[in-house]
Amino acid sequence: MQITILAVGRFRSGPQRALYEDYAARLKKGTLLGPLKLQEVEEKRNLEPARLKAREGELLDRALPEGARCIALDERGDNLDSAQLAGLLGQWREEGLRETVFLIGGADGLSPELRQRADRVLSFGRMTWPHLLVRGLLAEQVFRANAILSGHPYHRAD
């Protein structure tokens, strides 16, 4: 199954990018949940915050592949542990789903319309995380889900 991270903003070089690339490189073609793909969108005009959030939502919506399941990341979403996320992705894979897309908004988050459109809304907790760092955190969780599903010892839980 193809996993895509569809995110607002562009990576520059630095530790956030290195973290993402490390875990993305581990999810190679042939792994249960690989390879991991990153697609970025960006609005370059200087818009007021509400209009910018709406415009970023439009860009993300247009980039969503047809037929893919969509998981929006939002602080108001459900809190799943790693095994539960692995179970969800594994279930979708077993159902024959070809692609799952994770949405990461910009500095002001995702538009309400995009959150409503998502098949699931998940949270990494109630704390606010830098949207560029979330890419690396998410890549690690997808790698961990792959390890759980394949029985690899990377995930050590009680």
Side-chain angles (χ1 to χ4, degrees), residues 46-68:
N46 188 16
L47 302 173
E48 58 93 14
R51 180 65 192 124
L52 179 60
K53 187 177 192 176
R55 177 65 181 137
E56 290 170 345
E58 292 167 6
L59 293 171
L60 289 169
D61 188 51
R62 271 196 229 143
L64 276 171
E66 192 169 319

Side-chain angles (χ1 to χ4, degrees), residues 4 115 140 154:
T4 300
R115 280 195 317 270
E140 190 281 335
Y154 177 82

